[in-house]
Amino acid sequence: SLVFGLSAQIKAATQEIEITIRDHLFFPSTIEVPAGQKVRLIIINEAPTAEEFESYGLNREKVISGNSRTVIFIGPLQAGEYPFFGEFYPRTAQGRVIAR
């Protein structure tokens, strides 16, 4: 069917990037994404405590329970840098998305 074919193409075209939260840090802390494209972030929280992924530039905020994962879609973004941080541990849990 046409609808299924289009949704499969869109899904295949969406880049996925995993970010792990461990010891109140993001790994990797810097990710590069293609400008102008939607990207699927898979946030994996390996800590036993919750953390909140927050970014003013990306207009996203989402709590990830301890020992769980979530998906956050970002973009399409203009070229530039977009900082993000962990709301519960903002001094250590910091990262950035670079759109090129």
Side-chain angles (χ1 to χ4, degrees):
S1 96
L2 181 60
V3 172
F4 176 76
L6 286 176
S7 66
Q9 285 177 334
I10 291 167
K11 187 170 185 176
T14 303
Q15 181 179 355
E16 283 188 358
I17 298 174
E18 286 190 0
I19 300 174
T20 302
I21 302 168
R22 184 172 51 247
D23 299 324
H24 311 303
L25 298 167
F26 290 107
F27 295 95
S29 60
T30 300
I31 59 171
E32 286 193 26
V33 302
Q37 292 184 22
K38 191 173 186 178
V39 175
R40 181 178 189 213
L41 300 181
I42 301 167
I43 313 291
I44 302 162
N45 186 0
E46 292 183 349
T49 56
E51 181 56 279
E52 182 174 1
F53 178 95
E54 178 135 9
S55 173
Y56 304 124
L58 297 170
N59 194 27
R60 294 288 178 274
E61 96 182 85
K62 186 152 190 180
V63 174
I64 303 106
S65 300
N67 298 309
S68 69
R69 62 174 51 209
T70 194
V71 173
I72 299 173
F73 285 95
I74 62 171
L77 301 172
Q78 292 184 352
E81 290 192 19
Y82 301 84
F84 61 86
F85 61 97
E87 175 72 21
F88 302 152
Y89 296 93
R91 280 189 301 213
T92 57
Q94 296 187 29
R96 63 191 173 134
V97 173
I98 300 173
R100 295 187 197 272

